[in-house]
Amino acid sequence: MKNVSYDIAALILLIVLLHSCYIRKMTRGISNRLFMILTLDTIASTIFDIAAVFLDNAQSNNTIALYTMHFGYLLTHFLSAPMYLLFLISLIDTWHKLRKNIILQAILFVPFVMTVSVLAANAGNHLVFSVEGGYKRGPLFPLLYICTIVYVIVAIIYIIRYRSLLGRTKIITTSTFVPVELAAMIVQMVHPASRLEMFGGAIGLLIVSVGIQRPEDYIDSFTQLTKYSAYVYDRKRDSYNDKHVKIIMLNIGNFPSVQAMVGFDSAMQVLKEVANKIREINRKMRGHADLYYLDNGRFRIVFWGRYYDRAEGMAEALNQELKKGINIMGLDINLMPYMVLAGYPEEFKDFRTLMSFGADFHQRDPYTGRIMRASEMYDQKQLDIQNNIDAIIERALEDERFEVYYQPIYSIPQGKFVSAEALIRLFDPEHGFISPELLITAAEQNGTIHRIGEFVFEKVCQFIASEEYKKLDLEYIEVNLSVAQVMNGDLPETYLSIMEKYNVSPAKINLEITETAAAYEQEVMIDNLKQLTRAGISFSLDDYGTGYSNIQRVIQLPLKIIKLDKSFANENNNQKVWIFLKNTVKMLKDMNMEIVIEGVETQEMLDKFTDLQCDFVQGYFFSKPIPQNDFVEFISNAKKI
Ligand code: C2E
Ligand code: MG
Ligand code: MG
C-alpha cells in the first residue's frame, strides 16, 4: 500500500506558497513567474500522484484513468528539473548568453526532448511504465532520472560559476534545493511506497521562497518600486554578464527642501505620486523597463533588450510630466527633476563609478531642466580618483610619494621675497596629479591627514635646517593645518618635537589655519593655538572672506597674518568688492595684523593691491608652487636682481 500523507502535506504547503506569492506581489518579472510556474507544476504533479496512488491502492481496473494519472505525474514531475534550471538562469540573468551558447542549449534541450518523447512513446511501447495489472516501471524508466541528473549537474555548475554574483544566502538556498530534492528522490526510488518526492520538492521550493523571493528585500514599501539593494545587485549582474542596459537616472534635486517644507508624510506622498507617474508612462509607452526607487528622491528606470531604445522617449515624456509639479492635498509642489541618460556598462567603467556618479550629480551642476547624457557630465579621470582616493593615499604614504612644493611670497614694503607657502603635491603612478583639495578632504575623512600633515611639516623643517635654505635669507615658511589637525590635542607636542629634532626655531614657522563653523571642541583648538603661540610659532588665517567669516574669530584668535582669499584678487574690478577690500585691509591693519593677498596673477592686480597697502603678495604672477630645488634657484636668482 502506498501512503499519500506526505503528498497531502506537500499540497497544503504548495498552495500556501502560491498564495503567498500573490499576497507578496511576487508575480512580476521573469524569475518570479518561473518560480510560480514551478510551484504550479509541482502542485499538478502532487495532484496526479495522489490520484494515481488512490487508483493503485484501490486496485482499479480503469486503465485509462490509471495511465493518465501516472503519465501526468511523471511528465509534470520530471519537467520540474529543467524548470528549476531556467529559474536559476533567470536569477543570474544570463539569457543573452544562453542564446549564444549552442552547447548549453543542447544540454538544456536534449534531456527535455528525451523525457517528453520517451513518455509520449510509452503509450505504444510501455518501455517507461505500464498499468496493465497494476503500475510497473519499465526498462527505460531510469532514463528519466538520468535526464534529471544532467539538469542537477548543470545547476550545480551554474551555482559554482556564478557564486560571486549570487552571494552567500542565494548560494545556500539555491543549492539546498538540490540535496533536499535528491534525498527525497533516493528514498522514493528505494521505497516507492513512501511517496516522499513531492514533499521534498515542496520543502525545496519553500527554502527558495524564503531565501530568495523576499519582497521586503527589494520592494520599497512606499513607492512599490524595486529597492536600492536590488538595483545594486542587478547592475553588478549586468556588468558581470556584459548585459547592456540604458538607464534613466532621475534625482529630484529639491527633494530635501520639499521634505523640509511639507513634512515627512506629504513628502512620501510626493514620492508615491512620482512613482505612479513613472509606472503609468512606462505602461503607456510600453517601455517594459525595470523601475527602482533608491532613496532621497532618486529613481532609476532601466531599459534593456528590445526596449533599450525606448529610454530616450520615456525620459522626454517623464521630464515634461514632472516639470508640471505635483499636487498633494491641494498644495502645488514644484519639482526639480534632474534627469540623466546613461548607457551601462559602456559609459561607466565599473559598477562603483556608476553608483558614485548617481549619488550626487544633481548637486554638482545647476538645474537646466534638460535631459543630460552621463558621458557629457563627468570626467572619468576625476571620478576614478575620487573612487580610489583612499587606496591612492595609502599607497602614497607607503611609497613615500608625497612631495612638498613651495610658492614664494613677496613683501611689498621690503621689495623682496620673504617667505613661502608649503603646499603638498601627489603624483600617482596610475592616476597622475591628484588635486590637493580632493586629497586633503579625503585624508580628513579617512584619518590619514595627521600622518600627511606630519610628513609635510617634517619636510619643511628639514628644508629650513638645510644649508641652502639659510642662504636664501627668508623669514619663515607657511604650513597649512587642516581643521582635523587643529582639533587634535596631540598637535602641539608632535609639531614641537619635530622642530626640536631639526633644531628649527619657532620664528621660522607660520601655521595657516582656516575658519570653521564647527562649534565643537573649540577649546581644544584655542588651547592648541595658545600652546604653539607660547612656544613662539605664529599663525595665519587662510582664505579669509570665504565660507564662515567671523570677525569674532579674528579678534579672539592669536593671529599674526590674514590671508585674503584668491577670489578677491579675481574680483577686484567689482566696485562693491573693492570697497569691502579697502575697508577690510584698513581694519585689519588697525588691529596690527599683516595682510597677504593670494592669487595675484597680473601686474595690474599687483599694482592695485600695492595701492591698497597689502603687506604680502602670493600668486602665479611671481611663481606657481614649485619643487624645493626650483624654489631655491628661484629665490637665489631673485636676490641677484
Ligand atoms: P591654500 O592654502 O589657500 O593654498 C593656495 C592655493 O592657491 C594653492 O592651491 C595654490 O596653488 C593656489 N594658487 C596660488 N597662487 C595662485 C594664483 O595666482 N591663481 C590661482 N588660480 N591659484 C593660485 P593648491 O596647491 O591646489 O592647494 C589647494 C588647497 O589645499 C590649499 O589652499 C590648502 O587649503 C590645501 N593644502 C595644500 N597643501 C596642504 C597641506 O600640506 N596640508 C593641508 N592641511 N592642506 C593643504
Ligand atoms: Mg594656505
Ligand atoms: Mg588660501
Side-chain angles (χ1 to χ4, degrees):
M1 284 292 271
K2 292 175 182 173
N3 185 345
V4 288
S5 340
Y6 280 113
D7 271 353
I8 289 170
L11 196 60
I12 295 169
L13 264 182
L14 289 164
I15 290 170
V16 171
L17 194 60
L18 195 64
H19 183 62
S20 87
C21 283
Y22 276 105
I23 291 183
R24 300 193 295 171
K25 300 199 172 71
M26 309 290 302
T27 53
R28 270 172 297 168
I30 299 181
S31 61
N32 280 338
R33 285 196 188 137
L34 277 169
F35 184 80
M36 288 186 65
I37 293 174
L38 191 58
T39 311
L40 280 170
D41 175 81
T42 317
I43 289 179
S45 48
T46 312
I47 293 172
F48 280 125
D49 196 39
I50 292 172
V53 168
F54 186 73
L55 293 172
D56 285 350
N57 287 349
Q59 292 179 337
S60 160
N61 292 327
N62 186 344
T63 49
I64 293 178
L66 257 176
Y67 190 87
T68 312
M69 295 309 145
H70 280 287
F71 176 82
Y73 167 71
L74 292 175
L75 186 70
T76 49
H77 184 47
F78 282 98
L79 287 187
S80 66
M83 274 181 210
Y84 183 68
L85 192 55
L86 288 183
F87 168 70
L88 202 60
I89 290 173
S90 80
L91 211 57
I92 305 168
D93 200 12
T94 47
W95 293 113
H96 57 296
K97 283 197 178 163
L98 182 64
R99 245 177 258 144
K100 289 183 217 145
N101 190 335
I102 306 218
I103 299 174
L104 192 59
Q105 283 177 17
I107 292 174
L108 283 178
F109 207 59
V110 171
F112 169 78
V113 172
M114 215 129 81
T115 305
V116 174
S117 46
V118 293
L119 280 172
N122 188 62
N125 58 26
H126 301 299
L127 288 175
V128 181
F129 72 98
S130 62
V131 290
E132 311 291 334
Y135 172 80
K136 274 190 292 298
R137 289 175 178 182
L140 277 190
F141 194 89
L143 196 66
L144 298 179
Y145 281 112
I146 291 170
C147 291
T148 301
I149 286 167
V150 171
Y151 288 121
V152 170
I153 292 172
V154 177
I156 290 171
I157 293 173
Y158 237 83
I159 292 170
I160 295 173
R161 161 98 171 70
Y162 291 99
R163 63 190 177 284
S164 61
L165 202 61
L166 281 167
R168 238 178 100 223
T169 331
K170 283 188 179 161
I171 292 175
I172 294 170
T173 39
T174 47
S175 47
T176 42
F177 185 76
V178 177
V180 168
E181 181 84 321
L182 219 58
M185 216 180 242
I186 290 167
V187 172
Q188 185 160 333
M189 214 153 59
V190 182
H191 299 287
S194 66
R195 311 320 294 166
L196 226 109
E197 266 185 54
M198 301 329 300
F199 188 66
I203 295 285
L205 286 176
L206 199 67
I207 293 172
V208 170
S209 162
V210 169
I212 295 173
Q213 312 290 99
R214 289 185 300 186
E216 59 279 17
D217 269 4
Y218 57 93
I219 305 282
D220 175 67
S221 56
F222 276 110
T223 57
Q224 293 295 319
L225 301 182
T226 317
K227 264 188 195 174
Y228 190 95
S229 53
Y231 179 72
V232 171
Y233 174 74
D234 291 351
R235 298 298 76 78
K236 259 192 203 166
R237 195 172 61 178
D238 293 342
S239 62
Y240 197 89
N241 291 333
D242 198 28
K243 175 178 166 183
H244 291 242
V245 298
K246 192 106 189 179
I247 308 174
I248 300 177
M249 302 180 168
L250 162 63
N251 290 8
I252 309 281
N254 61 338
F255 184 68
S257 46
V258 167
Q259 189 162 356
M261 202 169 68
V262 300
F264 180 80
D265 288 340
S266 301
M268 289 300 127
Q269 257 345 93
V270 171
L271 289 180
K272 248 188 205 171
E273 208 38 50
V274 173
N276 285 342
K277 286 189 194 275
I278 293 175
R279 246 191 307 264
E280 200 180 298
I281 295 176
N282 187 33
R283 202 181 48 240
K284 269 196 204 145
M285 300 187 74
R286 294 180 202 285
H288 294 266
D290 294 332
L291 312 178
Y292 303 84
Y293 175 65
L294 309 189
D295 53 20
N296 294 323
R298 299 189 300 144
F299 295 82
R300 297 294 179 265
I301 305 160
V302 178
F303 298 80
W304 46 281
R306 271 186 290 153
Y307 308 104
Y308 185 92
D309 293 329
R310 303 206 177 163
E312 223 144 309
M314 167 128 177
E316 282 298 344
L318 190 62
N319 196 26
Q320 292 311 323
E321 186 59 36
L322 292 179
K323 275 202 238 170
K324 290 181 199 157
I326 275 177
N327 189 295
I328 301 287
M329 294 179 289
L331 198 66
D332 279 325
I333 296 173
N334 276 326
L335 298 179
M336 242 191 230
Y338 278 76
M339 256 192 230
V340 176
L341 265 178
Y344 180 72
E346 57 271 27
E347 281 186 76
F348 291 93
K349 196 176 83 223
D350 54 25
F351 158 78
R352 285 183 66 185
T353 322
L354 173 80
M355 298 312 287
S356 58
F357 170 79
D360 60 357
F361 62 78
H362 59 287
Q363 287 163 359
R364 282 195 298 268
D365 293 306
Y367 179 67
T368 60
R370 276 189 306 115
I371 293 161
M372 319 279 274
R373 319 247 142 204
S375 49
E376 292 165 7
M377 287 181 67
Y378 78 94
D379 178 353
Q380 178 73 50
K381 190 174 161 267
Q382 243 2 69
L383 217 60
D384 274 357
I385 293 176
Q386 223 155 17
N387 282 333
N388 297 302
I389 190 73
D390 287 351
I392 292 173
I393 292 177
E394 215 35 69
R395 199 164 50 188
L397 280 167
E398 238 165 64
D399 304 349
E400 300 187 358
R401 201 174 281 121
F402 287 110
E403 286 179 75
V404 178
Y405 276 35
Y406 295 89
Q407 185 176 32
I409 296 177
Y410 184 81
S411 160
I412 297 174
Q414 296 184 55
K416 63 171 193 170
F417 293 100
V418 290
S419 63
E421 176 171 4
L423 292 156
I424 195 159
R425 289 294 176 265
L426 174 59
F427 296 90
D428 183 78
E430 195 185 323
H431 296 95
F433 176 72
I434 312 290
S435 116
E437 259 142 24
L438 202 136
L439 175 80
I440 298 295
T441 314
E444 286 206 316
Q445 278 163 11
N446 69 20
T448 47
I449 187 66
H450 305 287
R451 279 155 76 197
I452 294 176
E454 282 165 35
F455 168 84
V456 171
F457 193 64
E458 180 144 7
K459 282 281 165 205
V460 170
C461 288
Q462 247 171 24
F463 180 40
I464 294 177
S466 69
E467 282 308 312
E468 51 184 2
Y469 178 85
K470 287 179 185 144
K471 289 185 205 137
L472 301 179
D473 196 21
L474 298 177
E475 291 177 15
Y476 52 86
I477 300 284
E478 295 181 6
V479 186
N480 289 284
L481 278 185
S482 81
V483 177
Q485 287 179 286
V486 190
M487 298 294 182
N488 174 15
D490 295 337
L491 178 84
E493 201 189 318
T494 321
Y495 271 42
L496 291 175
S497 75
I498 294 174
M499 285 164 59
E500 210 169 296
K501 181 172 160 194
Y502 292 96
N503 205 7
V504 167
S505 143
K508 293 195 165 18
I509 300 284
N510 177 281
L511 295 178
E512 293 188 6
I513 57 168
T514 41
E515 288 179 287
T516 163
Y520 57 90
E521 302 196 42
Q522 287 287 306
E523 299 98 84
V524 182
M525 169 181 168
I526 293 178
D527 206 47
N528 280 345
L529 260 55
K530 279 188 182 153
Q531 268 191 60
L532 289 165
T533 308
R534 240 181 281 130
I537 292 179
S538 64
F539 281 91
S540 299
L541 187 63
D542 204 355
D543 304 336
Y544 182 73
T546 61
Y548 177 75
S549 283
N550 189 340
I551 197 68
Q552 189 72 27
R553 200 55 63 77
V554 176
I555 296 166
Q556 207 178 26
L557 297 178
L559 298 167
K560 179 178 167 209
I561 300 173
I562 304 289
K563 299 189 79 168
L564 298 178
D565 189 72
K566 55 178 174 282
S567 56
F568 290 120
N570 277 325
E571 285 189 58
N572 66 73
N573 288 325
N574 177 323
Q575 194 57 32
K576 284 188 183 161
V577 171
W578 191 247
I579 293 169
F580 171 80
L581 275 174
K582 230 166 47 185
N583 288 290
T584 304
V585 169
K586 182 177 176 335
M587 173 190 77
L588 294 173
K589 291 195 79 94
D590 285 350
M591 288 182 185
N592 267 336
M593 282 193 261
E594 295 173 1
I595 296 158
V596 179
I597 173 78
E598 289 189 278
V600 170
E601 295 182 356
T602 60
Q603 179 74 52
E604 187 205 344
M605 286 187 199
L606 176 64
D607 293 344
K608 280 198 153 178
F609 286 97
T610 308
D611 288 349
L612 212 62
Q613 296 194 329
C614 283
D615 303 280
F616 306 106
V617 182
Q618 180 182 350
Y620 293 172
F621 176 71
F622 293 112
S623 168
K624 287 194 169 186
I626 43 180
Q628 185 177 311
N629 290 339
D630 298 355
F631 175 73
V632 170
E633 204 182 308
F634 177 91
I635 299 289
S636 311
N637 289 339
K639 269 173 62 176
K640 286 180 203 148
I641 301 165

